[in-house]
Amino acid sequence: MGDLKKAKHCHERALDVRLEKLGPEHVNVAVSYNNLGLVHQHQGDLKQAKDYHERALDVRLKKLEPEHVDVPSSYNNLGTVHEQLGDLKQAKDCHERALDVRLKKLGPEHVDVPISYNNLGVVHKQLAG
């Protein structure tokens, strides 16, 4: 329904419960961080979005292997925020990492791989001027 305020409230409640019941480094907490990052990104609060996406990535890297299939989505989301913030070098790095993991773990024909190629292409275009 497009109600970002309500979405944010729901995701904050989910995060509170997960933090209390599962602890700060549980992978489900990373899901809540990711969801809050997306809401803040849609609201235009890019600094807060970046913070939440960094938290999600940090938890995933600690609890999952660096090449786990859930890790690229964190790199992708963080890369998109860096791009929106104008930090194209950092965005490029994040999208390259997402692509690398997706290619290794999912293979070149997987439907998620073009997302990484697309995001990386957009950043390369912006870097070229």
Side-chain angles (χ1 to χ4, degrees), residues 19-38:
L19 284 170
E20 182 183 329
K21 299 294 182 183
L22 302 174
E25 293 189 354
H26 193 279
V27 292
N28 287 344
V29 170
V31 172
S32 287
Y33 286 144
N34 179 71
N35 292 339
L36 279 165
L38 292 172

Side-chain angles (χ1 to χ4, degrees), residues 36-97:
L36 279 165
L38 292 172
V39 169
H40 281 279
Q41 194 171 347
H42 288 294
Q43 290 179 323
D45 186 356
L46 298 177
K47 289 183 181 183
Q48 189 64 52
K50 179 179 171 238
D51 181 58
Y52 278 121
H53 287 310
E54 285 173 340
R55 289 182 194 189
L57 177 61
D58 185 53
V59 171
R60 285 177 170 158
L61 288 174
K62 285 179 182 175
K63 290 302 186 180
L64 306 171
E65 294 183 21
E67 293 187 351
H68 188 278
V69 295
D70 288 345
V71 172
S73 65
S74 285
Y75 279 126
N76 178 67
N77 292 337
L78 190 54
T80 301
V81 171
H82 280 296
E83 177 189 344
Q84 292 173 328
L85 286 167
D87 188 354
L88 298 178
K89 190 174 182 179
Q90 193 65 35
K92 179 179 171 265
D93 182 55
C94 288
H95 289 310
E96 285 174 342
R97 289 180 188 204

